[in-house]
Amino acid sequence: MAFTEQEVPTVTIECGGAQDDHAHQLAYEGLVRYASQPDVLSLEKAEWNVAVLRNPIRVELAPDATIEYRLTPSGEADLTFPPDFEHRNFGIVSPDEPLGWVGQKGLDVLTAISHNRTENMEQVLQIRDGRIYPAQALRAFMITTNPVIAKSDCLFYAVKATGEPIF
């Protein structure tokens, strides 16, 4: 049985990379702290610094898409992102900052899906001169540079720079 975000609220605690032992401990401590609250769905100010990012969109690759992480495109992949792409996690990316490159298929190899399963790539990414740019100022997170994860799960999540939903 599948649930939607409206039926089952979701929390994501982003703490670092999968290979970082400290990140595992931080995630555990964050989850225990969150779950120990009397009302986890209240909007009260937390005692610690918490960024609330509402209804992020998922940027997903098409099943047949190819992706590479290189400083420049090889010309053989549908998408190319720099090897340090994940350094953009939680930062604000402006519409004049390139994120990567597209191949001949353009953005057709990506989808931008909201919490209620609507799609609207035009509000998320755009192409200029073969490069991928944010369509508006974005806060991206859970960015991966692992091509297996990018294909099996998603490339990244994003909200507006303010933390509000994109659409």
Side-chain angles (χ1 to χ4, degrees):
M1 173 184 261
F3 291 100
T4 67
E5 180 72 19
Q6 287 81 12
E7 295 168 312
V8 180
T10 305
V11 63
T12 300
I13 300 172
E14 176 71 12
C15 303
Q19 304 305 316
D20 180 358
D21 288 336
H22 180 70
H24 298 297
Q25 183 63 31
L26 190 60
Y28 174 76
E29 290 171 7
L31 185 58
V32 168
R33 184 183 244 176
Y34 178 79
S36 299
Q37 296 302 304
D39 181 4
V40 297
L41 299 179
S42 73
L43 298 176
E44 295 178 22
K45 180 93 172 130
E47 295 176 16
W48 60 94
N49 188 15
V50 174
V52 177
L53 308 175
R54 302 208 177 278
N55 300 327
I57 57 94
R58 288 172 53 98
V59 176
E60 298 179 359
L61 277 70
D64 63 337
T66 56
I67 186 170
E68 64 183 0
Y69 295 93
R70 300 170 41 98
L71 292 176
T72 58
S74 69
E76 298 178 12
D78 295 316
L79 300 165
T80 303
F81 294 96
D84 64 351
F85 185 44
E86 66 187 1
H87 291 161
R88 294 187 179 271
N89 269 318
F90 291 101
I92 295 175
V93 185
S94 72
D96 58 340
E97 293 179 68
L99 298 173
W101 298 265
V102 292
Q104 293 180 351
K105 297 177 186 175
L107 291 179
D108 290 342
V109 297
L110 292 173
T111 55
I113 302 171
S114 73
H115 70 287
N116 59 8
R117 305 301 296 166
T118 58
E119 200 278 330
N120 192 333
M121 181 59 72
E122 293 78 28
Q123 291 189 42
V124 182
L125 299 173
Q126 59 186 358
I127 300 172
R128 292 195 312 263
D129 299 321
R131 305 228 36 201
I132 304 167
Y133 290 85
Q136 59 183 296
L138 299 176
R139 182 180 307 261
F141 56 100
M142 294 183 70
I143 297 170
T144 185
T145 54
N146 180 328
V148 173
I149 293 172
K151 287 193 61 115
S152 66
D153 186 14
C154 71
L155 184 59
F156 62 88
Y157 290 83
V159 293
K160 289 183 179 182
T162 61
E164 295 301 311
I166 295 173
F167 57 89

